[in-house]
Amino acid sequence: MDLYVLGQQLVNGLVLGATYGLIAVGYTMVYGIIGMINFAHGDIYMISAYLAAIGLAVLAWFGISSPFVLIALSLVFAIIVTSTYGVVIERLAYRPLRKANRLAPLISAIGVSLILQNYVQLSQGAKNQGVPTLIDGAVRFGSTDHFFQITYTQIMIILVALFSMGVLNAVVRFTALGRAMRATQQDREMAEILGINTDKIIGSVFAIGAAMAAVAGVLITLNYGSFDFFVGFVTGIKAFTAAVLGGIGSLPGAMLGGILLGLAESLFSGFVNSDYKDVFAFGLLVAILIFRPSGLLGKPVVEKV
């Protein structure tokens, strides 16, 4: 085994896993608080990729050339718009079905996913879109002929992902909003009796989940440089796999599952076959659901009587 290839695949897997973890947070927060799988969440990630490209183009048109200013402002722009998307989708597509059977919001989520894909396809075109590389350079390990590297963009992705997860964890654990979210998750009816506006809290959860997906969308777009209107489907399913692997409903589990899935997929691509990496990821999802449906950090569901 070539250790340099192994090192490169581990770096790639860590970067990929960090973005999976950010997207998985949206799945796990929504499931944890209202018990539904938001299959439109991957398309929010897709929209953030387009918003990143639009933001970069507009800022460049205004003459802004600093890479860090471009990235920071594009990130803020994508977070604000996608958070609005998250709130509106919850208000229009999910809230009216909150007292319906569990199948209704699931079908509604699939419908929203298709609507977002077709909306972007019609408005932005079906061709692949791209953004230029903003940050050049890399840190190399090894000799001139044999080495592995981590680019400055990849370092930024890992640092921003860790910072975002740290901020989210602090919000959930130490703020009034976080306490209300945890109370709503544990018992929504009791939370309402205690004066918590659970509709507002659920809307906030969708906004936060969409914001984390926006962070992932902007970062991964800057890293890979290309995207299309269908990119949210596959990436969203993989992020859902990461959420299930870590234990859906668990924030640390979402990031852990994302990193483990990213590493497993990258190593499979490097040492087995990159053409079947998606098959491997989805096969892993099936195996998790069969042998450990509660995931690594999740708690088994106890039926209340």
Side-chain angles (χ1 to χ4, degrees):
M1 178 184 293
D2 189 330
L3 293 180
Y4 293 106
V5 175
L6 175 62
Q8 191 62 62
Q9 294 306 118
L10 289 176
V11 169
N12 295 340
L14 186 61
V15 173
L16 187 63
T19 56
Y20 284 160
L22 287 174
I23 305 171
V25 165
Y27 285 104
T28 207
M29 289 183 72
V30 169
Y31 181 84
I33 206 159
I34 59 175
M36 71 162 282
I37 305 297
N38 179 18
F39 279 113
H41 187 60
D43 298 289
I44 295 293
Y45 157 83
M46 175 269 293
I47 287 175
S48 69
Y50 280 88
L51 291 172
I54 294 170
L56 291 174
V58 171
L59 293 170
W61 186 78
F62 280 106
I64 298 175
S65 59
S66 169
F68 294 102
V69 175
L70 287 171
I71 293 171
L73 293 180
S74 298
L75 197 56
V76 171
F77 171 62
I79 288 173
I80 292 173
V81 176
T82 53
S83 297
T84 306
Y85 268 93
V87 173
V88 171
I89 289 170
E90 188 276 331
R91 182 69 183 85
L92 298 180
Y94 302 147
R95 189 178 298 182
L97 301 174
R98 200 169 291 162
K99 295 183 179 179
N101 62 58
R102 297 169 70 92
L103 192 59
L106 183 66
I107 294 173
S108 182
I110 295 172
V112 171
S113 172
L114 294 174
I115 289 171
L116 291 178
Q117 285 180 28
N118 284 277
Y119 160 66
V120 173
Q121 182 184 10
L122 290 173
S123 61
Q124 303 296 324
K127 294 181 179 178
N128 274 8
Q129 307 291 331
V131 297
T133 301
L134 296 179
I135 303 176
D136 294 317
V139 179
R140 289 188 172 182
F141 302 91
S143 63
T144 305
D145 297 327
H146 299 88
F147 63 88
F148 70 93
Q149 67 178 12
I150 178 168
T151 66
Y152 294 141
T153 301
Q154 290 175 322
I155 294 174
M156 179 188 68
I157 289 173
I158 294 172
L159 293 178
V160 172
L162 292 176
F163 175 76
S164 301
M165 286 300 298
V167 170
L168 177 60
N169 189 53
V171 168
V172 172
R173 293 185 61 184
F174 303 117
T175 67
L177 174 63
R179 285 192 292 274
M181 288 166 57
R182 284 182 278 139
T184 305
Q185 178 185 16
Q186 290 173 9
D187 194 323
R188 196 189 315 165
E189 293 182 358
M190 182 57 71
E192 289 177 351
I193 292 172
L194 294 175
I196 295 174
N197 187 340
T198 56
D199 286 338
K200 184 179 178 180
I201 296 301
I202 292 170
S204 301
V205 166
F206 274 84
I208 293 172
M212 299 298 278
V215 174
V218 173
L219 295 178
I220 209 70
T221 300
L222 294 173
N223 189 43
Y224 291 113
S226 66
F227 54 90
D228 59 28
F229 71 95
F230 200 62
V231 70
F233 176 76
V234 175
T235 306
I237 295 295
K238 289 182 179 177
F240 174 65
T241 303
V244 174
L245 173 61
I248 195 159
S250 166
L251 287 181
M255 183 52 79
L256 175 64
I259 290 175
L260 290 178
L261 179 65
L263 289 173
E265 185 180 318
S266 181
L267 292 174
F268 185 87
S269 299
F271 294 103
V272 183
N273 193 323
S274 61
D275 292 336
Y276 294 101
K277 63 178 183 180
D278 293 341
V279 176
F280 170 74
F282 299 144
L284 187 61
L285 173 61
V286 173
I288 297 164
L289 291 174
I290 292 174
F291 296 107
R292 193 173 173 82
S294 60
L296 297 176
L297 301 183
K299 297 177 181 177
V301 177
V302 178
E303 199 70 35
K304 296 179 180 178
V305 295

